[in-house]
């Protein structure tokens, strides 16, 4: 039975207590969570959120539940730390950086029991800067690798991406849904293929990611080159249906 939490503490007030929530994750159903649960119990964690789900998953329900509960507890004036066996259990690259920013905004601490980032980290500490830097390097590496793959494919006369699946109307809708901060999986469920053998089906999240990535790569140089006052007046050449947003 749920009870109402105390009202949020005033800004700058000292925490009235401390809570340690744990999170454990395995990538496949065959992997055991026992070792992670044991280490969390030894670290004094009394409540653990756990799940078996791939790193590639766009949503992790138990992790989201842990962060939500941590935020509610912190808003009552109690200091909260999210404890994890290793930082890779939370995600990698940009996903980990985004989670760190969410925890920072809610003033929730992080503690890793092992690995490169082992130790307790305050929300205002250096770990969040490190994670953001990791995210930036990961994005840059993926972008360069994608451009190299595309250039190599073009030289061999291969088609890039799902050319027979995506179109300008699908791109426009995908951009609109992305502006609403929807996940790739949810965006794919809203889109419908209108031509070809897959007509009437939904595109895969990977196809949506490639479509949006190629759009960003094509429009980014033009946006940088234009003065800020003129960006709102950019138009596509006559006969092309793509609309910049």
């Amino acid at each position: 039975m749920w009870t109402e939490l105390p009202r949020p503490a005033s800004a700058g007030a000292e925490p009235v207590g401390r809570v340690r929530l744990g999170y454990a994750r395995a990538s496949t159903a065959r992997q055991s969570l026992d070792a992670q649960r044991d280490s969390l119990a030894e670290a004094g964690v009394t409540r653990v959120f756990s799940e078996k789900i791939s790193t590639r998953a766009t949503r992790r329900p138990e992790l989201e539940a842990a962060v939500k509960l941590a935020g509610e507890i912190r808003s009552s004036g109690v200091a909260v730390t999210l404890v994890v066996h290793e930082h890779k259990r939370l995600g990698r690259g940009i996903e980990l950086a985004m989670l760190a920013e969410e925890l920072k905004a809610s003033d929730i601490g992080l503690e890793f029991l092992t690995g490169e980032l082992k130790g307790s980290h305050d929300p205002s500490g250096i770990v969040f800067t490190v994670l953001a830097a990791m995210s930036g390097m990961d994005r840059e590496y993926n972008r360069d690798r994608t451009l190299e793959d595309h250039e190599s494919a073009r030289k061999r006369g291969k088609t890039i991406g799902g050319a027979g699946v995506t179109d300008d109307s699908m791109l426009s809708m995908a951009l609109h849904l992305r502006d609403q901060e929807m996940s790739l999986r949810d965006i794919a469920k809203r889109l419908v293929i209108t031509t070809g053998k897959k007509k009437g089906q939904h595109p895969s999240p990977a196809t949506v990611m490639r479509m949006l990535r190629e759009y960003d790569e094509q429009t980014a140089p033009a946006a940088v080159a234009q003065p800020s006052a003129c960006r709102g007046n950019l138009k596509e050449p006559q006969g092309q249906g793509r609309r910049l947003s």
Side-chain angles (χ1 to χ4, degrees):
M1 183 175 180
W2 291 97
T3 57
E4 183 179 358
L5 291 170
R7 295 184 178 276
S10 58
E14 288 294 324
V16 296
R18 294 185 179 277
V19 171
R20 292 164 63 79
L21 299 178
Y23 175 72
R25 182 187 65 80
S27 298
T28 66
R30 293 183 178 182
Q31 291 179 315
S32 174
L33 292 168
D34 291 344
Q36 293 183 52
R37 291 192 179 114
D38 289 345
S39 65
L40 291 171
E42 292 175 2
V45 176
T46 56
R47 179 165 183 177
V48 177
F49 294 79
S50 61
E51 56 192 339
K52 295 185 177 182
I53 191 168
S54 171
T55 306
R56 298 184 179 89
T58 56
R59 288 195 60 200
R60 300 176 199 170
E62 289 301 308
L63 177 58
E64 293 176 3
V67 174
K68 181 180 179 182
L69 178 60
E72 292 174 350
I73 295 175
R74 183 66 189 97
S75 68
S76 70
V78 178
V80 184
T81 300
L82 181 63
V83 185
V84 190
H85 182 70
E86 187 181 10
H87 72 273
K88 293 179 181 179
R89 298 301 95 199
L90 291 177
R92 301 183 182 183
I94 189 170
E95 292 82 7
L96 180 57
M98 291 174 63
L99 174 62
E101 286 301 312
E102 184 178 358
L103 296 177
K104 181 177 181 180
S106 299
D107 196 31
I108 299 170
L110 264 176
E111 182 177 344
F112 301 113
L113 302 180
T114 187
E116 300 169 355
L117 299 178
K118 179 180 178 181
S120 298
H121 305 283
D122 186 85
S124 60
I126 191 64
V127 68
F128 295 98
T129 303
V130 173
L131 292 176
M134 290 170 55
S135 170
M137 289 187 292
D138 186 63
R139 284 198 303 268
E140 188 66 23
Y141 170 75
N142 288 336
R143 179 179 180 277
D144 290 344
R145 185 176 60 181
T146 299
L147 291 174
E148 291 172 358
D149 291 344
H150 284 188
E151 183 61 25
S152 178
R154 289 190 184 98
K155 289 180 179 179
R156 290 171 172 78
K158 296 181 179 180
T159 301
I160 305 300
V165 172
T166 62
D167 53 32
D168 290 343
S169 60
M170 184 182 290
L171 172 63
S172 179
M173 176 58 72
L175 290 170
H176 172 71
L177 297 176
R178 184 174 69 171
D179 289 341
Q180 298 180 19
E181 299 184 351
M182 294 182 63
S183 68
L184 289 173
R185 188 181 300 275
D186 290 337
I187 292 176
K189 290 179 180 179
R190 298 288 188 92
L191 304 179
V192 178
I193 301 170
T194 58
T195 59
K197 296 181 180 179
K198 296 184 178 181
K199 182 177 179 179
Q201 300 180 24
H202 301 294
S204 67
T207 296
V208 175
M209 180 179 69
R210 287 196 299 269
M211 177 176 63
L212 293 173
R213 180 183 293 167
E214 290 177 3
Y215 171 82
D216 291 339
E217 291 171 356
Q218 293 169 7
T219 59
V224 172
Q226 293 291 334
S228 58
C230 299
R231 289 177 185 170
N233 297 323
L234 290 176
K235 295 183 179 179
E236 287 286 339
Q238 190 68 24
Q240 296 185 9
R242 292 188 178 181
R243 174 176 58 83
L244 296 178
S245 60

